[in-house]
Amino acid sequence: MSLAYRANADFAKLNHPMRVPLSAEIHSRPFLQLQAPESLTHFALYLQQDQPSRLNHRASQHQILEQLCRHYGVATPHPQARYFFHDFGRFRLKWECHTEFATYTFVERGEPGLDCRASFERMPLQHVPQEWLAGLNGKIIVAAHVLLCKDDSSDDSFAEGIRDLFQGKSLVGSSTGGNAEVWTDFLIQPDGFSRFVVRDQRLREFQPGRLVGRLLEIETYRMMALLGLPQAEATQPDLSSIENELATLTATLVNDEGNEDQDLLARITGLAARVEKISVNNGYRFAASQAYFNLVQARIQELREIRIEGTPTLAEFMGRRLAPAMNTCTSVAQRQEALAQRIARSNDLLRTRVGIEQEQQNRKILQSLDARAAQQLRMQQAVEGLSVAAISYYTLGLVGYVGKALKAGSVPVNPDLVTGIAVPLVIGAVWLGLRRLHHQLSGSAKH
């Protein structure tokens, strides 16, 4: 074994266990290497609504990829893989698995001299098995065709001819750093696909792949971001209903004299539970939509767009169409949070009022207990006085019997005189004994 190999092995032992996978994460999703002319078909499959677990989601996406690879006799990637690329001969496939969706990008080399204004009829989709496509029904969130080609015609002539490829009137286009032009309308055409045309003017070796990759990411993240909009619109009537009920309860809380506090508390708690349920259902979706929207904005900035006269840029289109939808999601999320805070304040106010009423009731109970304690003390003192008299009476009786016994024994003692002299002594002794016993019992109770 060489010294260099041994030194490398010893050095590898010093690596943090996550160093290699973290370093590989940066390179896990490389761009396609493209060179005009190329045609691409891009799918994004969304399965999160059926598979809430992330592991189940990834396993389902791997099963879909495995079906396609099995059709062509190609080995599938590792079950934990999130990226796959293979050249199937007629087309190349790039597969990526994300948190909520997986993307399939089919690439076919175009014929030399392919005009950018050629139709979208000959796309890599024609090489994909129809039975595999039929199994994707209800799962496709993005489907797009991309034409990457060169065109030496004038800008005005090209812009005029490119409109024939898009049946919508809201054509969007821009020059990306002066090296290429991007054209689209972000509409789903009758064939079920949105369309993009990339005109390569002076792109270098890896720039076409990066440019097309950014466009597909913009389209994919745009659709994923918009998933929060239907949820936000469906939530607004529920929030309005809760706000109306809260306003009614608040008015009742102000006018009520405290006779229905428990009922109000139960109703406010019910509203809090409803808002919490809505927040739990919407929290992840709204946060994900905002994250996807941020990615869309970042990818558009990376395009370094230059305006084409008379045509809105991608940034302008997203600012006019996508941004309001995201603002709706943000406003609904803020409305949920504000409503939850209002309910919490009303709940605290009602609980405070209930607490004050309970304190007043407790004060009355304590005052009643104090009065009873005072009465019991007076009764105890009266009983103690009677006890002194009774004990003294029986004790003096015993003293009298003793005196009579002594007189009968020829002792010169007057029993009546002895009894009379013993009266104050016995009463005083009994009183002091009872007081001492009372103090002893009081001290034991305190300890």
Side-chain angles (χ1 to χ4, degrees):
M1 181 182 295
S2 66
L3 294 178
Y5 179 82
R6 182 178 302 172
N8 291 335
D10 294 338
F11 181 78
K13 296 179 181 179
L14 303 177
N15 283 337
H16 187 281
M18 294 301 296
R19 180 191 177 193
V20 174
L22 290 178
S23 177
E25 179 66 24
I26 304 298
H27 309 282
S28 62
R29 304 183 190 276
F31 290 108
L32 286 168
Q33 295 186 13
L34 303 177
Q35 184 178 1
E38 302 266 17
S39 59
L40 299 91
T41 297
H42 177 79
F43 291 110
L45 305 186
Y46 177 71
L47 295 179
Q48 189 68 18
Q49 70 274 22
D50 297 328
Q51 303 289 345
S53 170
R54 183 176 178 180
L55 294 178
N56 291 339
H57 162 71
R58 182 176 296 178
S60 300
Q61 297 289 8
H62 270 270
Q63 290 176 1
I64 297 174
L65 176 62
E66 183 180 355
Q67 294 173 2
L68 182 63
C69 292
R70 190 185 304 117
H71 178 82
Y72 289 96
V74 174
T76 57
H78 189 273
Q80 298 299 322
R82 292 179 294 174
Y83 173 83
F84 173 76
F85 177 82
H86 188 78
D87 189 343
F88 287 79
R90 293 184 179 181
F91 63 91
R92 292 163 284 162
L93 170 65
K94 176 186 176 183
W95 174 85
E96 293 183 1
C97 186
H98 298 259
T99 303
E100 293 187 283
F101 62 93
T103 59
Y104 294 76
T105 305
F106 301 90
V107 185
E108 182 182 8
R109 180 70 179 170
E111 298 179 0
L114 178 66
D115 190 350
C116 284
R117 288 162 291 185
S119 68
F120 283 89
E121 294 180 358
R122 294 182 57 82
M123 302 300 295
L125 181 65
Q126 62 182 338
H127 304 301
V128 179
Q130 294 300 314
E131 59 273 14
W132 182 81
L133 290 173
L136 304 180
N137 290 336
K139 303 173 184 177
I140 297 177
I141 188 67
V142 175
H145 287 319
V146 181
L147 285 180
L148 170 65
C149 47
K150 292 180 178 290
D151 194 299
D152 297 330
S153 61
S154 64
D155 294 343
D156 293 338
S157 175
F158 179 81
E160 183 65 26
I162 203 69
R163 297 182 185 276
D164 297 335
L165 295 178
F166 300 93
Q167 299 184 9
K169 297 182 179 180
S170 57
L171 192 61
V172 179
S174 64
S175 175
T176 58
N179 297 325
E181 289 182 357
V182 175
W183 297 88
T184 184
D185 57 2
F186 290 107
L187 292 175
I188 299 177
Q189 303 297 330
D191 60 357
F193 290 80
S194 55
R195 296 176 177 180
F196 294 85
V197 173
V198 178
R199 181 189 184 190
D200 183 356
Q201 294 173 311
R202 291 182 299 275
L203 292 175
R204 298 183 178 178
E205 182 178 4
F206 297 105
Q207 287 182 322
R210 291 199 295 266
L211 176 57
V212 172
R214 291 188 182 112
L215 288 177
L216 294 177
E217 287 179 347
I218 290 173
E219 175 68 0
T220 302
Y221 294 143
R222 175 182 73 94
M223 295 297 295
M224 294 301 299
L226 286 172
L227 283 177
L229 181 60
Q231 205 160 329
E233 294 175 341
T235 300
Q236 292 187 14
D238 294 335
L239 295 180
S240 298
S241 175
I242 295 175
E243 287 174 344
N244 294 334
E245 291 186 37
L246 180 61
T248 303
L249 289 178
T250 304
T252 304
L253 180 62
V254 173
N255 300 326
D256 185 53
E257 297 180 356
N259 298 325
E260 301 179 355
D261 286 346
Q262 296 299 328
D263 179 61
L264 290 177
L265 186 60
R267 293 169 64 184
I268 290 180
T269 303
L271 292 182
R274 289 172 59 187
V275 172
E276 185 64 22
K277 180 180 178 181
I278 292 174
S279 299
V280 169
N281 293 337
N282 295 341
Y284 176 81
R285 187 72 270 151
F286 289 167
S289 293
Q290 185 60 48
Y292 290 129
F293 179 55
N294 293 338
L295 288 173
V296 170
Q297 292 179 311
R299 297 299 183 267
I300 291 177
Q301 291 179 358
E302 293 171 359
L303 294 179
R304 295 178 299 143
E305 289 186 286
I306 300 175
R307 175 184 295 278
I308 296 176
E309 188 65 29
T311 304
T313 63
L314 274 70
E316 292 174 345
F317 179 86
M318 294 298 176
R320 184 163 50 90
R321 302 289 180 87
L322 183 59
M326 295 301 99
N327 291 338
T328 300
C329 295
T330 302
S331 65
V332 171
Q334 294 175 348
R335 188 180 176 187
Q336 289 176 179
E337 183 177 357
L339 184 55
Q341 293 176 355
R342 288 170 53 193
I343 292 176
R345 287 195 296 267
S346 300
N347 195 9
D348 292 342
L349 178 62
L350 182 56
R351 288 183 180 275
T352 301
R353 194 174 81 171
V354 171
I356 292 175
E357 292 178 356
Q358 290 178 346
E359 289 180 359
Q360 292 177 350
Q361 293 176 359
N362 294 336
R363 185 180 303 169
K364 292 179 181 179
I365 293 173
L366 292 175
Q367 291 175 352
S368 176
L369 292 176
D370 290 341
R372 292 181 181 179
Q375 292 176 359
Q376 291 178 354
L377 179 61
R378 289 193 294 270
M379 292 179 64
Q380 181 180 354
Q381 292 174 349
V383 170
E384 287 180 356
L386 295 175
S387 300
V388 170
I391 295 173
S392 299
Y393 175 76
Y394 287 110
T395 303
L396 290 173
L398 295 175
V399 171
Y401 285 123
V402 172
K404 291 179 181 181
L406 291 174
K407 183 178 179 181
S410 301
V411 178
V413 176
N414 187 348
D416 295 334
L417 180 61
V418 172
T419 302
I421 295 173
V423 167
L425 298 176
V426 170
I427 293 175
V430 172
W431 184 80
L432 289 175
L434 289 176
R435 293 295 298 173
R436 184 177 180 182
L437 179 62
H438 177 74
H439 287 305
Q440 288 179 352
L441 294 176
S442 299
S444 300
K446 291 180 179 179
H447 292 294

